[in-house]
Amino acid sequence: MKKTVYIYKAFERFWHWTQALLIFFLAATGFEIHGSIKFFGYENAVEYHNVASYAFIVLILFAIFWHLSTGEWKQYVPTMKNIKAEINYYLTGIFKNVPHPTKKTVLSKLNPLQKLVYFGLKILVIPVMVISGLLYMFYRYPHQGSIVGIKIDSLETIAIFHTAGAFLLIAFIVVHLYLMTTGATLTSNLKAMLTGYEEIEEDDKTKVDIFHNRDIAASGLTKENK
Amino acid sequence: MRKIILSLIILFSLILVSVYLIKPGDTEDEYLTEIKTKLQNKSGPTTNHSKLEPLQKDFQTPQEVTGACLSCHTEAHKQVMQSNHWNWEREEYIRGRGIVRIGKKNAINNFCIGVEGNEKSCAKCHIGYGVTDKMNGYTDSTNIDCIVCHDNTDTYIKGSEMGGNPKPGIDLGNIARNVGKPTRSNCGVCHFFGGGGNNVKHGDLEKSMFNPTKEIDVHMATEGANLQCVDCHVTEDHKMLGKIYSLSSMNRDRSSCEQCHNETPHSKEILNEHTMKVACQTCHIPVYSKVNSTKMEWDWSTAGRLENGKPIEEDDELGNHTYLSIKGSFKWGNNLSPDYVWFNGTADHYLLGDTTSNLTKPLVLNTLRGSYNDKNSKIIPVKIHKAKQPYDPVTKMLIQPKLFADNQGEGAFWKDFDWVRASDVGMEEVDLPFSGTISFINTEMYWPVNHMVSTKDKSLECIQCHNRDDSKLNGLNDFYMPGRDYNKIVDNGGIGIILVSIVGIAVHSIMRIGSSRKKRSKA
C-alpha cells in the first residue's frame, strides 16, 4: 500500500540544495584555481572561492547542529547488513524490475549503500576538504601589517589533499545525480528533495525491514512526522 | 512545487550575489595619500650657493672648485673618500670566500670585462679627476669631483678618455654657483650609460628616465611625483642606500620599496600574502627597457674583423650597434619581460684569478643566491646578459684583456686588434698568468630589475604566473604554485574516477532502458 509521507524536513532541504549550489560553485572556482578551466578569471576565482568556502563552513556548522539536535545523525550510522543485497540490486535486480531490497521509511530514509557513502563523505571527505582548505588559506596570512605563517614548508601536500577531495566529490555528484533517477519514477526522488513529500510503500512484509535501530523510534521523530 | 523551485532560485541568487558583494574590493589606502602629501610638502634648500663669497670667481681648474667646496664643507671629502663612488670597491663577506675586498678592480663583467688597464677611459664615470692607469689620484682630496653629482645646471660634462676631467670650455663658475641636491640627470649621466652606451647594462636605467612619463616609471614621472634618484637612494654622510648585485655581495644598505610603502600595502590580503615570497618589483615591473633597447648578448669572439684595415660598425634599424670591430657582435631587446630568480640579498662573484673548468653550462659571473626554502628569499625580476668572452683554457681563468690605450702598439685590443697581445698585456697588469692560448666561453650576468615601475593597472595579473601553459615563473620549480603545478597521480586518478563513473552510468542506463522496453513489450 502506498502512502505519501513528509520525509525531508525544511531545513534538510535548504541544507541539501544550498550545499549542492556551494559545491558546484566551489568546484568551478576551485578547478579554475587549479588551472584546469578558465571562466571567472583567476583573481575572481580565488576571491569567490574563499568567500564561498566561508559560506560552506557556516552551512556545515548549522547542519551539524541540526543533525545532533534532532537525532537525525543516526540515519547515517553505517551498517553492513543488506549491503550485498543492495549491491546486487543495482547490478542485476534493477534490470529485472526486482523490488528494492530495503524499504525507505521516515525513520530510515537511507539505504545501506547511501549510509556508507554519506557517512564517508561526512567524516572523511568533507573534513579533509575543510581542514585542507583552511590550511590552504591560512598557512600564511597577513596579520597587523606583517605576514604570519603556520609552520608548513610547502603548499604541495595541502593542495594534493584538497584536489583529491575535490575529484572525489565530483565523482560522487556524478553518480548521485544518476542514482537520483532510480526511484519509483525518474523524478520521484528529485520531487521528494524539493517538496519534502514522497510516496513510499508501507508495511510490505515481503521486503526486508532495515529499520533495526530501535533508538530512533524513541527519538520522537514519529510524532513530528504525523 | 513551483513555489519551492522559485524560492530555491531566489535563495541561490541571494547566495551568489552576496558572495560577489563580500569579495574584497580595491580601495586606495590612506597611507598612500599620506605619502603623497609628504612629497608635496618637501622643503627647499637653506643655502643659495649663488650668494656665497668663495664661489664668485672664474675657476680655471675643476680642482679649484673642489677646494672652494671644501672651504665651507670642511669634512665632506672625508665622507666622499670612504664612499663606494670614490673607491669603486668595498669590503664584503661572501659565503665560501670569507671577507674580501670587491669592486670594479677585481670583479669581471661580461660587457667591457673589467676596468683594470682601462682606467683612463672608465674614469669618465669616476667621481674624481686626474685618474691615470694606476689610479694614483685616489688619495688627493682636491681630485674629488663634487660637481658631477651636485651640478644643477645640467651643463657639466666629463670628457671622454680624459681620466675623469671635465670637457674643456665648461663654465665651472656658473656650475659652482648653482649646486644642490643631485637630480636624476646627475646620476643618469653615468648610471644610464654603463657598459659604453645608453641602457647597455641595466635595461631599467636609461636616458628616457631623465624625464620619464608615468608609463615608463610611475614614481619618477615628471607629470607625477617626479621623484629624484636620491629620494629613494637615501643618502647620509655621502653614503647612499641601494646597490646593484653585479658588484655587491651582502644583504645590507639596500634601498627598498618598503621605505615608503609598508610590507603589506595592498587592500587585498591575498596580495599582501604574496609579499612574503615575491618582491614588489616582480609584479610591478612587468616590462623593462620600455623605450630604448638594452644589450642582451655580447659575443667578443667575433671582434677584430676589419675592412681595409679599418674597424667597422654595423647597426640595426633602431640604431643599435649589432657589430663593432672593437667589441664583437651584439643582440639587443626592448619591451622585455624579465626573467625571475630567487634572491636573498647575497651574491657571489667571479673575481680575477678564479678558475673554472666546468664549461658545460655558462659561467655565471654574479650568482644571486636564494631558494624557496630560504626564508629571506623573494622572487625578483632580472635581466640576464649573456656573453662569449675570452678565456684561457690552460690556466682556466677568464682573461682581462687590455682594451684601451692612447696609442697603437701598446697592446690595447681597441687599437691593435690582437687578442693574444691584448691578453698578455692585460693579464700582466693584473699580475695573473697567461698561457698564450685564447678560447671564448659562455658567461651570464644577472641584473636585478628595480626601476621602470609600471602604473598599478599594468602590474602582472595573477594568471600570468598562475597558469599551466606559459607561467612567467616556469623557470622556478622548487615550490608548488596553484594554477601552474599539479600532482599527476591526483589529477589523472581523479579524472579517471570521474570517467569510470560516467562510463558505468552510461552502461547502466542503457541496460535499464533495454530492460524497461522488454518489460513494456511483455506487457
Side-chain angles (χ1 to χ4, degrees):
Chain A
M1 191 185 141
K2 280 188 179 172
K3 194 183 164 191
T4 301
V5 295
Y6 187 51
I7 192 161
Y8 300 116
K9 265 81 52 191
F11 175 80
E12 208 170 8
R13 286 176 286 139
F14 163 80
W15 164 58
H16 173 270
W17 289 112
T18 311
Q19 176 165 267
L21 170 79
L22 286 174
I23 287 181
F24 275 111
F25 189 67
L26 285 165
T29 50
F31 276 98
E32 178 148 13
I33 295 167
H34 191 53
S36 316
I37 54 169
K38 288 193 175 95
F39 182 71
F40 296 102
Y42 202 87
E43 190 172 359
N44 286 333
V46 172
E47 285 166 355
Y48 293 152
H49 194 81
N50 287 355
V51 177
S53 68
Y54 285 122
F56 191 44
I57 288 172
V58 169
L59 183 69
I60 288 172
L61 292 176
F62 274 107
I64 289 173
F65 177 76
W66 181 83
H67 277 89
L68 290 180
S69 60
T70 58
E72 281 284 309
W73 62 274
K74 288 167 186 155
Q75 300 262 11
Y76 298 88
V77 177
T79 168
M80 292 314 280
K81 205 177 157 193
N82 288 319
I83 284 267
K84 222 177 145 191
E86 197 65 35
I87 292 172
N88 281 337
Y89 169 74
Y90 283 112
L91 287 182
T92 59
I94 191 169
F95 308 122
K96 299 173 195 153
N97 207 24
V98 169
H100 205 112
T102 57
K103 199 178 83 181
K104 203 173 197 174
T105 69
V106 172
L107 301 180
S108 180
K109 54 196 174 208
L110 304 175
N111 72 45
L113 271 181
Q114 284 178 309
K115 279 178 192 269
L116 195 66
V117 171
Y118 294 174
F119 184 73
L121 283 180
K122 279 171 190 289
I123 72 142
L124 196 69
V125 179
I126 298 292
V128 162
M129 292 307 277
V130 170
I131 291 167
S132 60
L134 285 172
L135 287 174
Y136 209 129
M137 273 198 276
F138 289 112
Y139 84 112
R140 54 174 192 247
Y141 55 95
H143 178 70
Q144 292 178 351
S146 65
I147 308 288
V148 181
I150 300 170
K151 285 210 175 205
I152 293 174
D153 284 335
S154 167
L155 187 57
E156 185 161 17
T157 322
I158 301 172
I160 283 175
F161 276 104
H162 205 67
T163 316
F167 277 117
L168 283 180
L169 276 174
I170 291 198
F172 164 77
I173 286 169
V174 169
V175 176
H176 184 71
L177 284 174
Y178 174 66
L179 290 179
M180 177 185 78
T181 66
T182 62
T185 68
L186 282 181
T187 56
S188 60
N189 280 339
L190 177 63
K191 267 183 199 151
M193 194 43 92
L194 283 169
T195 61
Y197 290 97
E198 185 172 7
E199 262 189 359
I200 54 176
E201 292 281 334
E202 241 193 359
D203 286 337
D204 192 337
K205 295 279 189 265
T206 59
K207 285 189 184 172
V208 188
D209 188 358
I210 58 147
F211 175 42
H212 58 282
N213 193 339
R214 298 294 147 186
D215 293 346
I216 295 178
S219 72
L221 280 173
T222 42
K223 260 183 276 165
E224 271 175 49
N225 298 319
K226 266 175 190 161
Chain B
M1 179 90 171
R2 229 178 250 160
K3 243 196 237 164
I4 287 169
I5 292 176
L6 195 70
S7 47
L8 268 182
I9 290 171
I10 293 170
L11 174 71
F12 282 14
S13 328
L14 275 178
I15 292 173
L16 292 179
V17 167
S18 46
V19 164
Y20 177 77
L21 290 178
I22 293 169
K23 153 191 135 120
D26 203 5
T27 52
E28 184 166 293
D29 277 329
E30 263 174 48
Y31 89 96
L32 265 186
T33 328
E34 263 171 51
I35 296 174
K36 284 176 181 168
T37 342
K38 222 186 265 174
L39 285 172
Q40 275 160 4
N41 297 338
K42 267 197 277 188
S43 55
T46 50
T47 304
N48 181 346
H49 283 79
S50 65
K51 293 180 179 166
L52 298 183
E53 189 55 40
L55 303 179
Q56 310 301 326
K57 62 173 195 172
D58 284 332
F59 294 95
Q60 297 308 311
T61 65
Q63 281 88 348
E64 278 176 47
V65 180
T66 304
C69 298
L70 294 180
S71 68
C72 291
H73 300 276
T74 55
E75 309 305 308
H77 61 292
K78 292 178 189 163
Q79 296 175 359
V80 172
M81 292 174 86
Q82 282 173 8
S83 72
N84 302 323
H85 271 122
W86 177 258
N87 289 313
W88 276 3
E89 68 167 11
R90 58 172 88 82
E91 206 164 61
E92 298 255 85
Y93 170 79
I94 302 179
R95 203 184 69 219
R97 287 183 190 273
I99 293 167
V100 289
R101 290 198 72 78
I102 175 172
K104 286 186 186 288
K105 289 174 183 171
N106 59 348
I108 286 244
N109 65 53
N110 63 4
F111 293 84
C112 285
I113 301 178
V115 296
E116 286 287 306
N118 308 307
E119 289 86 347
K120 257 185 118 169
S121 170
C122 298
K124 190 183 179 187
C125 278
H126 185 247
I127 57 161
Y129 308 120
V131 177
T132 63
D133 274 0
K134 290 289 164 220
M135 296 294 254
N136 50 12
Y138 259 137
T139 48
D140 182 354
S141 65
T142 57
N143 272 336
I144 294 173
D145 187 346
C146 304
I147 46 185
V148 70
C149 298
H150 293 284
D151 164 35
N152 280 177
T153 67
D154 278 357
T155 57
Y156 183 78
I157 306 170
K158 275 173 175 284
S160 287
E161 298 163 9
M162 289 178 60
N165 285 15
K167 226 174 168 176
I170 284 173
D171 186 350
L172 293 172
N174 183 45
I175 291 170
R177 289 184 289 275
N178 290 284
V179 289
K181 265 178 99 171
T183 62
R184 283 194 300 271
S185 62
N186 294 104
C187 308
V189 289
C190 288
H191 291 279
F192 294 171
F193 298 91
N198 180 48
N199 207 20
V200 166
K201 266 186 179 169
H202 292 270
D204 62 336
L205 289 173
E206 63 119 348
K207 64 184 180 189
S208 72
M209 295 167 92
F210 284 129
N211 291 301
T213 60
K214 271 192 176 172
E215 281 67 42
I216 298 171
D217 189 292
V218 69
H219 298 110
M220 292 187 251
T222 42
E223 83 264 36
N226 197 16
L227 291 191
Q228 305 298 312
C229 307
V230 291
D231 286 324
C232 296
H233 295 276
V234 179
T235 307
E236 226 173 277
D237 303 337
H238 283 95
K239 200 175 157 194
M240 319 197 70
L241 281 190
K243 45 179 48 193
I244 187 75
Y245 283 87
S246 49
L247 280 173
S248 299
S249 307
M250 288 173 73
N251 188 11
R252 59 174 180 182
D253 304 331
R254 292 169 78 183
S255 176
S256 72
C257 311
E258 289 88 345
Q259 287 165 213
C260 294
H261 305 277
N262 59 33
E263 291 202 351
T264 52
H266 308 95
S267 57
K268 292 184 180 177
E269 298 278 87
I270 189 115
L271 296 179
N272 285 335
E273 281 176 55
H274 280 73
T275 62
M276 194 176 178
K277 290 284 183 191
V278 183
C280 312
Q281 298 93 310
T282 299
C283 299
H284 292 281
I285 311 178
V287 176
Y288 68 98
S289 265
K290 288 177 183 169
V291 184
N292 296 296
S293 306
T294 187
K295 204 168 272 187
M296 299 305 289
E297 290 179 35
W298 184 322
D299 184 355
W300 277 100
S301 71
T302 61
R305 180 161 57 85
L306 303 176
E307 270 169 29
N308 305 322
K310 293 230 165 91
I312 56 161
E313 174 185 323
E314 287 164 9
D315 293 349
D316 65 14
E317 65 278 8
L318 294 172
N320 302 312
H321 302 315
T322 51
Y323 182 80
L324 288 174
S325 302
I326 59 167
K327 293 177 175 178
S329 331
F330 311 115
K331 283 192 182 142
W332 298 76
N334 57 45
N335 285 298
L336 299 154
S337 171
D339 286 280
Y340 299 94
V341 297
W342 287 108
F343 185 45
N344 65 11
T346 69
D348 193 11
H349 300 272
Y350 179 93
L351 299 181
L352 272 174
D354 286 354
T355 56
T356 179
S357 36
N358 177 9
L359 301 179
T360 51
K361 282 187 298 182
L363 172 66
V364 178
L365 301 186
N366 64 325
T367 310
L368 303 185
R369 287 174 166 157
S371 69
Y372 175 81
N373 287 318
D374 174 352
K375 69 174 169 35
N376 295 320
S377 291
K378 290 186 181 189
I379 295 170
I380 62 157
V382 293
K383 165 192 163 178
I384 301 177
H385 181 258
K386 297 176 177 173
K388 260 188 173 174
Q389 68 189 95
Y391 169 79
D392 185 332
V394 180
T395 64
K396 313 281 184 203
M397 289 177 197
L398 284 181
I399 291 170
Q400 163 75 74
K402 172 91 173 166
L403 294 175
F404 172 79
D406 287 327
N407 304 301
Q408 273 190 353
E410 291 177 35
F413 186 79
W414 290 353
K415 299 278 181 192
D416 303 337
F417 300 100
D418 178 347
W419 271 124
V420 177
R421 184 78 210 289
S423 305
D424 204 22
V425 177
M427 290 302 265
E428 202 186 321
E429 285 195 22
V430 292
D431 292 326
L432 286 173
F434 172 58
S435 72
T437 323
I438 293 175
S439 65
F440 290 85
I441 64 164
N442 293 315
T443 62
E444 283 181 352
M445 279 192 90
Y446 286 70
W447 292 78
V449 174
N450 293 318
H451 307 91
M452 293 199 176
V453 176
S454 286
T455 48
K456 191 156 116 178
D457 55 305
K458 299 259 170 55
S459 314
L460 281 194
E461 305 271 340
C462 310
I463 191 76
Q464 289 177 273
C465 293
H466 293 279
N467 83 80
R468 290 190 182 183
D469 309 319
D470 58 345
S471 169
K472 295 239 176 218
L473 300 184
N474 265 346
L476 300 178
N477 292 308
D478 57 348
F479 68 105
Y480 180 94
M481 183 164 68
R484 178 192 70 172
D485 297 326
Y486 55 95
N487 182 297
K488 275 202 178 117
I489 299 169
V490 171
D491 266 42
N492 293 340
I495 292 167
I497 289 173
I498 293 170
L499 286 180
V500 166
S501 310
I502 291 171
V503 170
I505 287 167
V507 172
H508 200 268
S509 49
I510 289 166
M511 287 173 72
R512 265 172 75 201
I513 294 165
S515 71
S516 72
R517 281 216 184 111
K518 242 183 263 167
K519 229 186 301 163
R520 237 175 280 149
S521 61
K522 265 182 206 164

